[in-house]
Amino acid sequence: MSVIEPLLLSTVRICTYAGPRLLTNASGFFFARGERLFLVTSRHVVLDAPSRHFPDRLEIELHTDRHNMARSCGFSVPLYRDGKSLWRQGRDTAGGVDVALIELERAALPSAVVYHAFTPEHLQAPSDLIEVGTALLVVGFPLGFHDHLHHMPVVRHAIVASSFGLRFQGQGYFLTDARTHRGTSGAPVVMRAPDDCSNLGDLPWILLGIHSARLDLGNRDLVQDEALGLNCTWYADILMTLSAN
Protein backbone atom coordinates (compact mmCIF):
# COMPACT_ATOMS: atom_id res chain seq x y z
CA MET A 1 0.00 0.00 0.00
CA SER A 2 1.33 3.45 -0.90
CA VAL A 3 1.61 6.08 1.81
CA ILE A 4 -1.02 8.82 1.45
CA GLU A 5 -0.06 12.28 2.62
CA PRO A 6 -2.36 13.28 5.50
CA LEU A 7 -2.82 16.76 4.01
CA LEU A 8 -4.73 15.23 1.10
CA LEU A 9 -7.07 13.48 3.54
CA SER A 10 -7.94 16.74 5.31
CA THR A 11 -9.82 18.14 2.33
CA VAL A 12 -13.06 16.97 0.70
CA ARG A 13 -14.97 17.73 -2.45
CA ILE A 14 -18.31 19.38 -1.82
CA CYS A 15 -21.33 19.17 -4.09
CA THR A 16 -24.23 21.50 -3.33
CA TYR A 17 -27.82 20.42 -3.94
CA ALA A 18 -31.29 21.91 -3.97
CA GLY A 19 -33.44 18.82 -3.49
CA PRO A 20 -32.20 16.30 -6.08
CA ARG A 21 -30.67 18.99 -8.31
CA LEU A 22 -26.89 19.35 -8.36
CA LEU A 23 -25.90 23.01 -8.21
CA THR A 24 -22.15 23.56 -7.79
CA ASN A 25 -18.84 22.05 -6.78
CA ALA A 26 -16.64 23.45 -4.02
CA SER A 27 -13.93 22.49 -1.55
CA GLY A 28 -13.95 22.05 2.21
CA PHE A 29 -11.85 20.63 5.01
CA PHE A 30 -12.12 19.15 8.49
CA PHE A 31 -11.51 21.10 11.70
CA ALA A 32 -11.64 19.39 15.09
CA ARG A 33 -11.93 21.10 18.46
CA GLY A 34 -12.00 18.75 21.42
CA GLU A 35 -14.47 15.98 20.64
CA ARG A 36 -16.30 18.04 18.04
CA LEU A 37 -15.74 17.79 14.30
CA PHE A 38 -16.61 20.48 11.77
CA LEU A 39 -16.70 20.92 8.01
CA VAL A 40 -15.27 24.26 6.89
CA THR A 41 -15.97 25.93 3.56
CA SER A 42 -16.75 29.37 2.13
CA ARG A 43 -19.96 30.97 3.26
CA HIS A 44 -21.01 31.65 -0.33
CA VAL A 45 -20.97 27.88 -0.91
CA VAL A 46 -23.92 27.40 1.46
CA LEU A 47 -25.77 30.60 0.58
CA ASP A 48 -25.19 33.34 -1.97
CA ALA A 49 -28.17 35.59 -2.58
CA PRO A 50 -26.60 37.74 -5.36
CA SER A 51 -26.15 34.68 -7.57
CA ARG A 52 -29.43 33.10 -6.36
CA HIS A 53 -27.54 30.14 -4.95
CA PHE A 54 -29.77 28.49 -2.33
CA PRO A 55 -28.76 24.87 -1.67
CA ASP A 56 -30.48 22.88 1.06
CA ARG A 57 -27.74 20.30 1.57
CA LEU A 58 -24.14 19.45 0.83
CA GLU A 59 -22.69 16.12 -0.12
CA ILE A 60 -19.07 15.26 0.66
CA GLU A 61 -17.06 12.26 -0.44
CA LEU A 62 -15.44 10.24 2.35
CA HIS A 63 -12.77 7.56 2.22
CA THR A 64 -13.85 4.36 3.92
CA ASP A 65 -10.82 2.05 3.68
CA ARG A 66 -7.32 3.19 4.65
CA HIS A 67 -5.89 0.25 2.69
CA ASN A 68 -7.77 1.09 -0.51
CA MET A 69 -8.25 4.77 -1.32
CA ALA A 70 -10.53 3.85 -4.24
CA ARG A 71 -13.28 3.01 -1.76
CA SER A 72 -15.47 5.93 -0.78
CA CYS A 73 -19.02 6.93 -0.08
CA GLY A 74 -21.12 10.05 -0.28
CA PHE A 75 -22.19 11.68 2.98
CA SER A 76 -25.08 14.13 3.03
CA VAL A 77 -24.88 17.24 5.24
CA PRO A 78 -28.18 19.10 5.68
CA LEU A 79 -28.01 22.89 5.77
CA TYR A 80 -31.34 23.49 7.50
CA ARG A 81 -33.39 21.95 10.29
CA ASP A 82 -36.87 23.14 11.15
CA GLY A 83 -36.33 26.09 8.86
CA LYS A 84 -33.17 27.25 10.65
CA SER A 85 -29.70 27.24 9.11
CA LEU A 86 -27.24 24.77 10.62
CA TRP A 87 -24.04 26.48 9.59
CA ARG A 88 -22.17 29.09 11.58
CA GLN A 89 -20.93 32.27 10.01
CA GLY A 90 -19.16 35.29 11.40
CA ARG A 91 -18.89 39.04 11.10
CA ASP A 92 -16.15 41.48 11.92
CA THR A 93 -15.87 45.25 11.92
CA ALA A 94 -15.94 45.32 8.11
CA GLY A 95 -19.01 43.11 7.75
CA GLY A 96 -19.55 39.47 6.83
CA VAL A 97 -16.73 36.93 6.71
CA ASP A 98 -16.84 34.48 3.81
CA VAL A 99 -16.35 31.39 5.98
CA ALA A 100 -18.94 28.82 7.08
CA LEU A 101 -18.60 26.10 9.72
CA ILE A 102 -20.96 23.13 9.96
CA GLU A 103 -20.75 20.65 12.82
CA LEU A 104 -20.74 17.01 11.77
CA GLU A 105 -22.26 14.24 13.86
CA ARG A 106 -19.37 11.88 14.45
CA ALA A 107 -21.75 9.02 15.23
CA ALA A 108 -23.37 9.40 11.81
CA LEU A 109 -20.07 9.06 9.91
CA PRO A 110 -19.13 5.68 8.42
CA SER A 111 -17.42 3.55 11.06
CA ALA A 112 -14.30 3.13 8.94
CA VAL A 113 -14.03 6.74 7.72
CA VAL A 114 -10.47 7.87 6.96
CA TYR A 115 -9.63 11.56 7.35
CA HIS A 116 -7.32 14.05 9.03
CA ALA A 117 -8.52 17.24 10.71
CA PHE A 118 -6.86 20.54 11.49
CA THR A 119 -7.07 21.60 15.14
CA PRO A 120 -6.53 24.86 17.07
CA GLU A 121 -2.85 23.90 17.30
CA HIS A 122 -2.61 24.26 13.50
CA LEU A 123 -3.71 27.91 13.51
CA GLN A 124 -1.41 30.89 13.18
CA ALA A 125 -2.28 34.18 14.82
CA PRO A 126 -2.45 37.07 12.30
CA SER A 127 -0.10 38.95 14.62
CA ASP A 128 2.65 36.37 14.03
CA LEU A 129 5.23 37.26 11.42
CA ILE A 130 4.71 35.52 8.09
CA GLU A 131 6.88 37.09 5.42
CA VAL A 132 5.60 38.26 2.07
CA GLY A 133 6.56 35.63 -0.48
CA THR A 134 6.26 32.72 1.97
CA ALA A 135 5.44 29.51 0.11
CA LEU A 136 1.90 28.18 0.55
CA LEU A 137 -0.26 25.36 -0.76
CA VAL A 138 -3.93 25.54 -1.71
CA VAL A 139 -5.58 22.11 -1.50
CA GLY A 140 -8.85 21.73 -3.35
CA PHE A 141 -10.99 20.73 -6.29
CA PRO A 142 -10.73 23.35 -9.07
CA LEU A 143 -13.76 23.04 -11.36
CA GLY A 144 -14.45 19.82 -9.45
CA PHE A 145 -11.30 18.29 -10.94
CA HIS A 146 -9.63 15.57 -8.85
CA ASP A 147 -8.31 12.03 -8.90
CA HIS A 148 -11.60 10.29 -9.67
CA LEU A 149 -10.22 6.84 -8.89
CA HIS A 150 -8.77 7.66 -5.47
CA HIS A 151 -11.01 10.68 -4.70
CA MET A 152 -8.07 12.93 -3.89
CA PRO A 153 -7.77 16.72 -4.25
CA VAL A 154 -5.04 18.50 -6.17
CA VAL A 155 -2.64 21.11 -4.86
CA ARG A 156 -1.68 24.53 -6.17
CA HIS A 157 1.45 26.40 -5.16
CA ALA A 158 1.04 29.99 -3.94
CA ILE A 159 2.81 32.71 -2.00
CA VAL A 160 1.65 35.25 0.55
CA ALA A 161 1.00 38.25 -1.71
CA SER A 162 0.11 40.93 0.85
CA SER A 163 1.19 41.78 4.37
CA PHE A 164 0.09 38.89 6.58
CA GLY A 165 -1.78 40.24 9.58
CA LEU A 166 -2.74 43.46 7.83
CA ARG A 167 -6.40 43.40 6.83
CA PHE A 168 -6.30 44.00 3.09
CA GLN A 169 -8.57 46.94 2.19
CA GLY A 170 -9.81 46.73 5.79
CA GLN A 171 -11.28 43.26 5.20
CA GLY A 172 -10.47 40.13 7.21
CA TYR A 173 -8.37 38.51 4.51
CA PHE A 174 -4.91 38.54 2.97
CA LEU A 175 -3.92 37.87 -0.64
CA THR A 176 -2.29 34.91 -2.35
CA ASP A 177 -1.24 34.54 -5.96
CA ALA A 178 -2.28 30.92 -6.61
CA ARG A 179 -3.87 30.04 -9.92
CA THR A 180 -7.40 29.15 -8.87
CA HIS A 181 -10.75 28.30 -10.43
CA ARG A 182 -14.36 27.90 -9.44
CA GLY A 183 -14.61 24.91 -7.14
CA THR A 184 -11.60 25.96 -5.06
CA SER A 185 -13.79 28.05 -2.75
CA GLY A 186 -13.42 26.74 0.80
CA ALA A 187 -9.99 25.18 0.28
CA PRO A 188 -7.45 25.30 3.11
CA VAL A 189 -4.42 27.52 2.54
CA VAL A 190 -1.45 26.07 4.42
CA MET A 191 2.21 26.67 5.16
CA ARG A 192 4.71 23.97 6.02
CA ALA A 193 5.18 23.88 9.80
CA PRO A 194 8.62 24.71 11.23
CA ASP A 195 10.70 21.76 12.36
CA ASP A 196 10.24 22.67 16.02
CA CYS A 197 6.44 22.21 15.83
CA SER A 198 6.24 18.74 17.32
CA ASN A 199 2.62 18.96 18.52
CA LEU A 200 0.95 18.71 15.11
CA GLY A 201 1.02 14.93 14.80
CA ASP A 202 0.62 13.55 11.29
CA LEU A 203 -0.43 16.92 9.83
CA PRO A 204 2.71 19.12 9.94
CA TRP A 205 1.10 22.15 8.33
CA ILE A 206 0.03 25.56 9.60
CA LEU A 207 -3.48 26.54 8.53
CA LEU A 208 -3.25 30.21 7.55
CA GLY A 209 -6.59 30.73 5.87
CA ILE A 210 -9.59 29.68 3.81
CA HIS A 211 -9.56 30.45 0.09
CA SER A 212 -12.58 32.48 -0.94
CA ALA A 213 -12.43 33.92 -4.43
CA ARG A 214 -10.27 35.52 -7.10
CA LEU A 215 -9.73 39.25 -6.81
CA ASP A 216 -10.04 41.39 -9.90
CA LEU A 217 -10.41 45.02 -10.94
CA GLY A 218 -13.79 46.18 -12.11
CA ASN A 219 -12.22 48.59 -14.60
CA ARG A 220 -9.74 46.09 -16.10
CA ASP A 221 -9.64 46.14 -19.91
CA LEU A 222 -10.68 42.57 -20.72
CA VAL A 223 -8.84 42.71 -24.05
CA GLN A 224 -5.57 44.37 -23.09
CA ASP A 225 -5.13 43.42 -19.44
CA GLU A 226 -4.72 39.95 -17.98
CA ALA A 227 -6.48 39.05 -14.75
CA LEU A 228 -4.54 39.97 -11.63
CA GLY A 229 -4.11 36.36 -10.57
CA LEU A 230 -4.69 37.26 -6.93
CA ASN A 231 -7.04 35.66 -4.41
CA CYS A 232 -8.75 36.55 -1.16
CA THR A 233 -7.89 34.22 1.73
CA TRP A 234 -9.76 34.75 4.99
CA TYR A 235 -7.71 34.41 8.16
CA ALA A 236 -8.23 31.00 9.74
CA ASP A 237 -8.37 32.30 13.31
CA ILE A 238 -12.10 32.97 12.68
CA LEU A 239 -12.54 29.22 13.22
CA MET A 240 -11.89 29.65 16.93
CA THR A 241 -14.77 32.10 17.16
CA LEU A 242 -17.13 29.99 15.05
CA SER A 243 -16.37 26.75 16.90
CA ALA A 244 -16.81 28.20 20.39
CA ASN A 245 -19.71 26.84 22.51
Side-chain angles (χ1 to χ4, degrees), residues 84-95:
K84 296 182 178 180
S85 59
L86 296 176
W87 72 86
R88 303 178 182 195
Q89 63 187 49
R91 296 184 64 83
D92 61 15
T93 55

Side-chain angles (χ1 to χ4, degrees), residues 4 27 31 42 57 84 91 101 105 108 124 152 171 189 203 210 214:
I4 304 300
S27 302
F31 179 75
S42 294
R57 69 181 177 94
K84 296 182 178 180
R91 296 184 64 83
L101 192 80
E105 296 183 21
Q124 188 90 12
M152 291 289 179
Q171 302 289 322
V189 179
L203 203 57
I210 300 96
R214 288 173 291 181

Side-chain angles (χ1 to χ4, degrees), residues 30 35-39 60 62 75-78 81 86 102-111 113 115:
F30 297 111
E35 297 299 315
R36 304 168 74 188
L37 180 65
F38 301 90
L39 175 67
I60 60 177
L62 299 174
F75 183 78
S76 186
V77 181
R81 181 177 295 138
L86 296 176
I102 306 168
E103 186 165 4
L104 302 175
E105 296 183 21
R106 285 183 182 269
L109 296 174
S111 58
V113 64
Y115 69 92

Side-chain angles (χ1 to χ4, degrees), residues 42 44 98 142-143 156 168 173-186 210-218 220 227-234:
S42 294
H44 72 261
D98 192 24
L143 301 179
R156 288 283 194 190
F168 192 83
Y173 57 75
F174 64 99
L175 301 185
T176 72
D177 75 336
R179 183 183 180 194
T180 60
H181 300 78
R182 287 181 298 106
T184 312
S185 296
I210 300 96
H211 170 80
S212 173
R214 288 173 291 181
L215 184 68
D216 207 351
L217 294 174
R220 176 171 63 88
L228 288 173
L230 296 172
N231 311 284
C232 305
T233 301
W234 293 85

Side-chain angles (χ1 to χ4, degrees), residues 11-15 22 24-28 59-62 140-141 143-146 148 151 153 183:
T11 306
V12 291
R13 184 168 68 100
I14 294 176
C15 294
L22 173 64
T24 60
N25 292 290
S27 302
E59 186 167 299
I60 60 177
E61 194 166 27
L62 299 174
F141 298 84
L143 301 179
F145 179 79
H146 62 293
H148 288 271
H151 318 287

Side-chain angles (χ1 to χ4, degrees), residues 19-241:
R21 184 164 61 95
L22 173 64
L23 300 178
T24 60
N25 292 290
S27 302
F29 61 92
F30 297 111
F31 179 75
R33 186 171 183 179
E35 297 299 315
R36 304 168 74 188
L37 180 65
F38 301 90
L39 175 67
V40 182
T41 189
S42 294
R43 191 266 190 185
H44 72 261
V45 171
V46 300
L47 175 67
D48 187 42
S51 65
R52 301 190 61 78
H53 176 65
F54 302 112
D56 54 33
R57 69 181 177 94
L58 310 178
E59 186 167 299
I60 60 177
E61 194 166 27
L62 299 174
H63 292 91
T64 56
D65 186 342
R66 67 177 58 257
H67 302 292
N68 184 356
M69 290 292 107
R71 292 185 178 178
S72 71
C73 70
F75 183 78
S76 186
V77 181
L79 293 177
Y80 297 90
R81 181 177 295 138
D82 299 327
K84 296 182 178 180
S85 59
L86 296 176
W87 72 86
R88 303 178 182 195
Q89 63 187 49
R91 296 184 64 83
D92 61 15
T93 55
V97 174
D98 192 24
V99 177
L101 192 80
I102 306 168
E103 186 165 4
L104 302 175
E105 296 183 21
R106 285 183 182 269
L109 296 174
S111 58
V113 64
V114 182
Y115 69 92
H116 286 273
F118 294 99
T119 67
E121 286 71 34
H122 290 90
L123 301 181
Q124 188 90 12
S127 60
D128 292 341
L129 177 61
I130 304 293
E131 295 179 343
V132 170
T134 295
L136 308 174
L137 297 181
V138 182
V139 189
F141 298 84
L143 301 179
F145 179 79
H146 62 293
D147 179 343
H148 288 271
L149 175 60
H150 301 106
H151 318 287
M152 291 289 179
V154 295
V155 176
R156 288 283 194 190
H157 181 264
I159 63 167
V160 176
S162 66
S163 178
F164 188 84
L166 190 65
R167 294 160 57 88
F168 192 83
Q169 303 280 38
Q171 302 289 322
Y173 57 75
F174 64 99
L175 301 185
T176 72
D177 75 336
R179 183 183 180 194
T180 60
H181 300 78
R182 287 181 298 106
T184 312
S185 296
V189 179
V190 301
M191 174 186 76
R192 189 74 182 187
D195 293 337
D196 60 357
C197 288
S198 58
N199 62 331
L200 301 182
D202 294 332
L203 203 57
W205 298 89
I206 302 297
L207 177 64
L208 295 188
I210 300 96
H211 170 80
S212 173
R214 288 173 291 181
L215 184 68
D216 207 351
L217 294 174
N219 60 352
R220 176 171 63 88
D221 188 307
L222 298 180
V223 176
Q224 298 188 57
D225 302 320
E226 294 183 6
L228 288 173
L230 296 172
N231 311 284
C232 305
T233 301
W234 293 85
Y235 289 106
D237 64 328
I238 186 67
L239 298 181
M240 295 302 292
T241 301

